[in-house]
Amino acid sequence: MSLLADLVNLDLSDNTEKIIAEYIWVGGSGMDMRSKARTLSGPVTDPSKLPKWNYDGSSTGQAPGQDSEVILFPQAIFKDPFRRGNNILVMCDAYTPAGEPIPTNKRHAAAEIFSNPDVVAEVPWYGIEQEYTLLQKDVNWPLGWPIGGYPGPQGPYYCSIGADKSFGRDIVDAHYKACLYAGINISGINGEVMPGQWEFQVGPSVGISAADEVWIARYILERITEIAGVVVSFDPKPIPGDWNGAGAHTNYSTKTMREEGGYEVIKKAIEKLGLRHKEHIAAYGEGNERRLTGHHETADINTFLWGVANRGASIRVGRDTEKEGKGYFEDRRPSSNMDPYIVTSMIAETTLLWNP
C-alpha cells in the first residue's frame, strides 16, 4: 500500500497534461487567507487566460446568505511549491456578480493608483520587511518559550544561532526556498529581536506586484506552519511588556529618487507623508497602537519624525542614500498585519499624486 506521502508527491506530468490551480483570496477579516483548487486542461502562464470562479461569500464574512455568490478574478500566477510540476498558485481578488469590487477587495483600488500614468512613469519600487511570530499550537505561546513562562530578556536572539536562542529555523528555511520556487522576489530572512519571531523580505518589486508577492508569501508560510503543527501570528504586539512588536517596514523609491538629485525628491515626499500622518496610521494595520509606543525601535504613534539611520523614527533614511544623494527611504510605521495593497498604493498616492 502506498504511503500517503507517495500519493501527495505524485508527479502528474507523466500521465496527464491537466494541472491543479489553487485559487487564493483574502477573506472577510482582511487577514484570513482562503483558497480552493480546480483542475485545468493544461499549463497556464497568463492570468487573463484563467477562468473566473466563485465562492460562498457568506462563509467568509463577505456576502449575505441570501445572495452569497462572490466572483474571483485571477490576477497573478505563481508556481506551486507544494504540488510542484506545472501546478500553480493564483492570487485573486473578489467581485460581486455584477462586476463591482466587494468592500474587502483592496487590490482593485490599488490597481487604479498603480495604473495612473504619473505613477507608472515613476516605476515605484518596494521592499517589504514582513515580521511574524511562530506560536505553539495548543497554548498560543511563542515557539521556544517555556509553557506559562518567559525566556531570558531580549538581546541574544536577533540573527542568532543555537538551540537555546533560535526557534523554528526549519520552518523559516522551508518558507524561504518555497518562495524562491514560487517565483516570489524574496530577498532574505532573519531571526528577530524577540525569540520565536522572524522576518522575511520581499522586493525590490514594482508596483502592485510587491503586494501580490507579500500575500502569496504569507499564504505559503501559513501552509508550511500548518504542516509543521505551528501557528503563525501577524499580531503587531503578540506579547505585552518589554518585548519587540512586529512590523512590516516598507522601503520605497521612485525613478526620480533613484537618479541624481533624488535626495531632494525624497525629502519632499517625506514632508508629504508627514502632512498625512494620521490618515496613513489609520490604514497601517489593526492594533498598531500597541506597537508604536516610542519604545522598542518605534516612534510614538501620534508623532511623525524622520531621520538618517534612526530606527526610532517614523521614516528612516539610510546613510548610503544621504551620502550618494539618491536612493530610497523606509516607512517604519506599517504593522505586521497591514494590507500590502493599501500600504503600497497609499504611499504612491501620497508621494506622487496628492497635492497638499
Side-chain angles (χ1 to χ4, degrees), residues 127-131 199-202 247-251 330:
I128 299 172
E129 306 171 29
Q130 175 69 70
E131 294 178 342
E199 175 187 296
F200 66 86
Q201 302 95 31
V202 167
H249 303 155
T250 302
N251 299 275
E330 175 192 35

Side-chain angles (χ1 to χ4, degrees), residues 5-29:
D6 294 336
L7 297 174
V8 169
N9 294 319
L10 270 178
D11 184 355
L12 302 177
S13 60
D14 292 337
N15 299 285
T16 179
E17 291 185 1
K18 292 179 179 180
I19 68 157
I20 302 170
E22 190 78 27
Y23 279 45
I24 300 164
W25 69 97
V26 182
S29 75

Side-chain angles (χ1 to χ4, degrees), residues 140-259:
N140 214 37
W141 200 237
L143 202 64
W145 289 36
I147 303 297
Y150 295 85
Q154 295 182 158
Y157 309 107
Y158 173 70
C159 295
S160 65
I161 59 170
D164 58 338
K165 297 182 288 293
S166 180
F167 313 109
R169 188 183 298 278
D170 53 347
I171 293 169
V172 174
D173 233 28
H175 176 252
Y176 194 175
K177 290 184 176 180
C179 285
L180 286 171
Y181 179 95
I184 293 166
N185 193 22
I186 186 169
S187 48
I189 57 165
N190 62 267
E192 266 305 329
V193 177
M194 189 181 84
Q197 195 175 79
W198 292 83
E199 175 187 296
F200 66 86
Q201 302 95 31
V202 167
S205 299
V206 178
I208 203 164
S209 63
D212 286 335
E213 290 177 15
V214 169
W215 273 119
I216 293 296
R218 285 174 172 177
Y219 174 84
I220 291 172
L221 180 58
E222 289 220 51
R223 286 282 305 274
I224 290 171
T225 53
E226 173 191 323
I227 294 165
V230 170
V231 173
V232 60
S233 169
F234 295 105
D235 190 287
K237 187 73 173 180
I239 305 295
D242 195 17
W243 304 97
N244 271 34
H249 303 155
T250 302
N251 299 275
Y252 171 72
S253 70
T254 63
K255 186 171 180 286
T256 50
M257 291 176 190
R258 297 187 292 268
E259 294 173 344

